[in-house]
Amino acid sequence: RGSYHAAVALAPADGPALFNRGTAHLRLGDFEAARDDLTAAAATLPDFTELYLQRAAAYQGTKQFAEGVKDVDKALELGAAPARAYFV
């Protein structure tokens, strides 16, 4: 996670760095930080399907289920594999 902190510090609007740090937060159970980073990443990566699936998991962790369902729907619109999306 520390490397991603450095990457985001050097380029705060870098979508891939924010996405990677967000997924690191998610794996560590820091759902709020994951949600925030993934939301920031969505501004520069609006068509990145995996981002919405990861953020849906972060929303689940923060008990924001309606927002998570919206992200799963968005991922499906962007062409996510239905089995993967419904698993999330």
Side-chain angles (χ1 to χ4, degrees), residues 13-14 18 41-42 44 47 60 64 68 73 75 82:
D14 183 60
L18 287 162
T44 60
D47 297 326
Q60 181 181 11
Q64 295 174 289
D73 289 342

Side-chain angles (χ1 to χ4, degrees), residues 23-51:
T23 58
H25 285 305
L26 187 60
R27 285 187 207 116
L28 294 171
D30 189 351
F31 302 114
E32 291 178 6
R35 180 201 57 213
D36 294 346
D37 277 350
L38 293 167
T39 297
T44 60
L45 302 169
D47 297 326
F48 186 33
T49 304
E50 187 62 23
L51 183 145

